[in-house]
């Protein structure tokens, strides 16, 4: 039997899809080439923005058409049915649809009721039970097994506590995510994540190291430690040991373990970081361990103290800039990127100027920039002085224009350097040109053989085109 995953949203979703896929492979299922040919489709959803959910609702319509055509209950008259009919032959087998991720958790009780196309709803604390969905689908195909953990409403029974998957890498991946914690305790007023993923839970060290050993067996070259706020990691050395580690401790332990086991893993990245929790010990760990990449994504969100307070961010503009100065002093080669939000309720033009001033002083090499999008259930959604969408877009464009100039200035400083890169893939338009990433999380395009994909190479940076370096291969 076959499965197909559609994954939307953050890196945690990518890791959780990969972990769920392991359960299908263990049961002898194979990955379908497309949703049109699978037995079971899984949509891993995001609820951070309304636009993300609207996209999923659109996919529900498409799957409804696919199901209708397969069942031969209707003709292909509307767009969704026509699209499905283009790929499905008469007499095709049924397709089942499972929905997991933040949107599944937010709409847990109503999703299948409001969207009958959905067969299974997998909440945050139920993702380890995909075997039960497999059992149920196989039973409908004539197998004897039938799951006891799936109710009539299609909701998979949830566990009392969150469970970390033992392995979260896609088959054949040389760069992968390793979740180290789950949930968030910060409750920023614009963010729905704490309500959907719950409070912070940290993964024990021994479980993380076991996964790293398995990744070594698979030849993985790079990992990214994942958490909604990795700096607040507080995991035990072993579950029930009562001996707890900080995030800095974890980085040190991982660095030592990779060296002692002569691991194939040559680089360690991490995200996301909250400015209020990134301490001197973490900066020191990054500085003295070559295996830890010299890149920090440090979401600032805004540069106005008044707006930061309304966002419940727990730091000031000066706090943030002092942290940036400390990081750059201890890690001179570091690159820094950030998240920036404009259009928060009550934001003024003066607030935007404060943000621009912070961005100028922080000298970010890149930024993810967006405007405030109200999420139902968060305090900011009902705040007074909501900003008109036209004004949000104008302010966002102003921020984007500024950051593009800053990105160019900061990146041009590195033209002429010779750097180590992890070769990731061929460029989109040229099969003889490879795309790699540096320890500073910069992209470099250079002529080379595809045999280098998944290995480290040395490249001299010759020029900058947009936000991508152009370079020349020095050695394999």
């Amino acid at each position: 039997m076959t499965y197909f995953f559609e994954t939307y949203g953050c890196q945690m979703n990518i890791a959780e899809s990969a972990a769920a896929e392991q359960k299908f492979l263990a049961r002898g299922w194979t990955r379908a080439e497309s949703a049109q040919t699978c037995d079971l489709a899984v949509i891993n959803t995001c609820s951070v923005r309304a636009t993300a959910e609207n996209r999923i609702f659109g996919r529900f319509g498409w799957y409804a058409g696919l199901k209708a055509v397969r069942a031969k209950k209707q003709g292909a008259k509307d767009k969704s049915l026509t699209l499905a009919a283009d790929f499905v032959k008469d007499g095709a087998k049924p397709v089942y649809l499972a929905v997991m991720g933040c949107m599944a958790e937010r709409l847990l009780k109503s999703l299948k009721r409001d969207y009958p196309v959905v067969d299974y709803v997998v909440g945050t604390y139920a993702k380890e039970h995909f075997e039960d969905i497999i059992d149920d689908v196989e039973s409908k195909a004539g197998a004897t097994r039938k799951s006891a953990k799936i109710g009539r409403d299609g909701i998979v029974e949830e566990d009392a506590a969150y469970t970390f998957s033992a392995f979260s890498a896609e088959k054949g991946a040389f760069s992968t995510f390793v979740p180290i914690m789950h949930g968030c305790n910060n409750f920023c007023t614009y963010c729905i994540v704490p309500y959907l993923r719950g409070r912070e839970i940290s993964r024990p060290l021994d479980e993380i190291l076991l996964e790293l050993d398995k990744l070594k067996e698979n030849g993985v070259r790079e990992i990214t430690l994942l958490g909604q706020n990795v700096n607040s990691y507080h995991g035990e050395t072993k579950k029930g040991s009562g001996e707890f580690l900080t995030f800095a401790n974890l980085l040190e332990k991982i660095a030592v373990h990779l060296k002692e086991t002569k691991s194939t893993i040559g680089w360690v990245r991490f995200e996301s970081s909250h400015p209020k929790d990134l301490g001197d010990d973490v900066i020191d760990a990054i500085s003295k361990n070559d295996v830890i990449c010299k890149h920090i994504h440090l979401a600032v969100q805004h540069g106005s103290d008044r707006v930061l307070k309304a966002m419940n961010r727990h730091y000031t503009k000066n706090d943030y800039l002092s942290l940036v100065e400390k990081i750059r002093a201890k890690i001179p080669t570091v690159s820094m990127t950030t998240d920036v939000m404009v259009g928060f309720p009550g934001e003024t033009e003066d607030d935007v100027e404060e943000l621009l001033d912070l961005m100028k002083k922080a000298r970010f090499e890149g930024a993810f920039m967006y405007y405030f999008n109200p999420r139902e259930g968060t305090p900011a959604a009902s705040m007074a002085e909501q900003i008109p969408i036209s004004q949000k877009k104008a302010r966002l464009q102003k921020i984007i224009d500024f950051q593009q100039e800053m990105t160019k200035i900061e990146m041009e400083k590195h033209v002429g350097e010779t750097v180590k890169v992890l070769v990731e893939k061929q460029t989109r338009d040229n099969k003889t040109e490879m795309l790699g990433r540096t320890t500073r999380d910069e992209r470099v395009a250079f002529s080379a053989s595809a045999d280098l994909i998944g290995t480290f190479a040395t490249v001299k940076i010759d020029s900058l085109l947009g936000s991508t370096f152009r370079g020349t291969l020095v050695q394999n």
Side-chain angles (χ1 to χ4, degrees):
M1 300 188 75
T2 60
Y3 64 89
F4 185 80
F5 274 84
E6 292 186 24
T7 303
Y8 301 87
C10 66
Q11 291 93 335
M12 189 67 77
N13 275 7
I14 295 172
E16 290 179 347
S17 288
E21 184 176 17
Q22 300 297 320
K23 300 181 185 302
F24 288 93
L25 295 172
R27 290 285 291 270
W29 285 44
T30 57
R31 184 191 297 183
E33 292 184 1
S34 67
Q36 291 88 350
T37 60
C38 70
D39 295 290
L40 173 67
V42 182
I43 304 180
N44 197 345
T45 62
C46 175
S47 282
V48 171
R49 293 175 183 82
T51 50
E53 289 196 352
N54 289 337
R55 187 175 182 184
I56 304 303
F57 292 140
R59 293 302 290 160
F60 288 168
W62 187 90
Y63 276 101
L66 179 64
K67 284 191 172 194
V69 170
R70 283 195 177 185
K72 296 190 295 185
K73 290 181 178 178
Q74 301 179 41
K77 295 180 180 180
D78 64 35
K79 289 184 179 180
S80 63
L81 295 184
T82 301
L83 179 61
D86 286 341
F87 295 94
V88 179
K89 297 179 181 179
D90 287 342
K93 57 192 175 184
V95 58
Y96 299 96
L97 179 62
V99 180
M100 64 184 292
C102 286
M103 184 174 165
E105 181 67 26
R106 190 176 82 82
L107 304 175
L108 190 66
K109 300 297 183 182
S110 62
L111 191 61
K112 183 169 170 53
R113 180 194 67 211
D114 295 340
Y115 298 91
V117 66
V118 177
D119 297 291
Y120 306 102
V121 184
V122 187
T124 302
Y125 293 86
K127 64 182 182 60
E128 288 301 301
H129 297 302
F130 266 94
E131 291 96 338
D132 294 280
I133 294 176
I134 294 171
D135 286 345
D136 204 58
V137 172
E138 289 181 350
S139 72
K140 291 172 181 176
T144 57
R145 284 188 291 259
K146 189 172 178 65
S147 171
K149 284 189 175 288
I150 300 174
R152 290 184 178 181
D153 54 6
I155 298 174
V156 180
E157 182 180 318
E158 295 201 298
D159 292 332
Y162 183 84
T163 302
F164 288 94
S165 299
F167 192 67
S168 300
E170 292 185 347
K171 186 177 180 180
F174 56 83
S175 177
T176 191
F177 300 111
V178 177
I180 63 167
M181 59 186 303
H182 181 270
C184 184
N185 292 348
N186 289 307
F187 289 91
C188 299
T189 55
Y190 54 82
C191 184
I192 199 169
V193 170
Y195 304 98
L196 302 180
R197 288 194 174 266
R199 293 301 184 98
E200 292 174 355
I201 302 170
S202 295
R203 188 179 182 189
L205 171 67
D206 63 329
E207 292 183 13
I208 296 170
L209 298 185
L210 280 174
E211 182 166 5
L212 298 190
D213 290 342
K214 189 171 181 181
L215 292 174
K216 173 191 172 184
E217 294 173 7
N218 286 264
V220 168
R221 297 303 185 101
E222 173 189 74
I223 60 168
T224 300
L225 307 177
L226 282 186
Q228 269 71 38
N229 179 15
V230 292
N231 302 124
S232 61
Y233 175 85
H234 188 64
E236 293 181 281
T237 54
K238 185 177 182 180
K239 191 172 183 179
S241 68
E243 182 182 356
F244 291 89
L245 304 172
T246 65
F247 182 56
N249 298 149
L250 177 65
L251 290 176
E252 296 279 7
K253 295 284 187 183
I254 287 175
V256 170
H257 184 79
L258 295 179
K259 184 177 181 179
E260 290 180 344
T261 60
K262 298 180 180 179
S263 179
T264 59
I265 299 169
W267 279 352
V268 177
R269 302 184 187 273
F270 61 85
E271 56 183 80
S272 293
S273 290
H274 195 295
K276 74 178 179 63
D277 296 317
L278 200 158
D280 291 352
D281 54 351
V282 174
I283 300 171
D284 290 339
I286 299 169
S287 176
K288 69 182 184 180
N289 288 289
D290 291 340
V291 73
I292 303 174
C293 288
K294 303 306 182 269
H295 169 253
I296 298 176
H297 184 84
L298 193 63
V300 66
Q301 302 300 355
H302 215 281
S304 161
D305 288 348
R306 192 179 64 82
V307 176
L308 288 170
K309 183 176 181 180
M311 288 179 168
N312 196 36
R313 293 293 289 177
H314 298 288
Y315 54 83
T316 65
K317 175 183 176 180
N318 284 338
D319 291 337
Y320 187 92
L321 289 174
S322 295
L323 178 58
V324 169
E325 184 177 348
K326 185 182 299 184
I327 291 169
R328 293 195 185 281
K330 290 190 175 183
I331 316 171
T333 59
V334 74
S335 70
M336 296 193 66
T337 55
T338 195
D339 293 343
V340 172
M341 178 195 296
V342 296
F344 192 79
E347 179 191 69
T348 65
E349 293 296 339
D350 286 343
D351 293 326
V352 176
E353 290 303 315
E354 287 287 332
L355 172 56
L356 285 166
D357 182 64
L358 179 142
M359 294 172 72
K360 181 179 180 180
K361 291 174 179 175
R363 308 191 324 273
F364 298 118
E365 197 162 282
F368 177 66
M369 298 163 282
Y370 57 105
Y371 58 77
F372 171 71
N373 190 324
R375 296 305 293 125
E376 181 184 356
T378 63
S382 57
M383 285 182 178
E385 299 182 85
Q386 296 285 330
I387 308 296
I389 186 68
S390 59
Q391 202 166 15
K392 290 181 186 179
K393 289 183 177 180
R395 291 176 179 178
L396 178 59
Q397 191 59 55
K398 188 175 183 179
I399 295 295
I400 290 173
D401 292 343
F402 177 86
Q403 182 56 50
Q404 285 179 339
E405 287 299 316
M406 183 60 67
T407 295
K408 181 180 179 182
I409 292 169
E410 290 300 307
M411 293 189 70
E412 282 183 340
K413 293 177 181 178
H414 302 286
V415 173
E417 294 180 355
T418 298
V419 297
K420 179 180 178 182
V421 302
L422 177 59
V423 187
E424 295 185 329
K425 59 184 178 181
Q426 297 171 324
T427 58
R428 184 177 57 186
D429 301 322
N430 188 345
K431 291 186 178 181
T432 65
E433 190 175 63
M434 301 300 114
L435 194 64
R437 264 201 311 169
T438 72
T439 182
R440 292 162 46 85
D441 202 39
E442 301 150 330
R443 295 179 299 175
V444 186
F446 55 98
S447 295
S449 167
D451 293 341
L452 289 183
I453 293 174
T455 68
F456 290 104
T458 303
V459 177
K460 182 179 181 297
I461 298 174
D462 299 322
S463 61
L464 177 68
L465 182 61
S467 59
T468 301
F469 288 123
R470 312 291 300 186
T472 303
L473 181 66
V474 175
Q475 67 181 47
N476 300 21

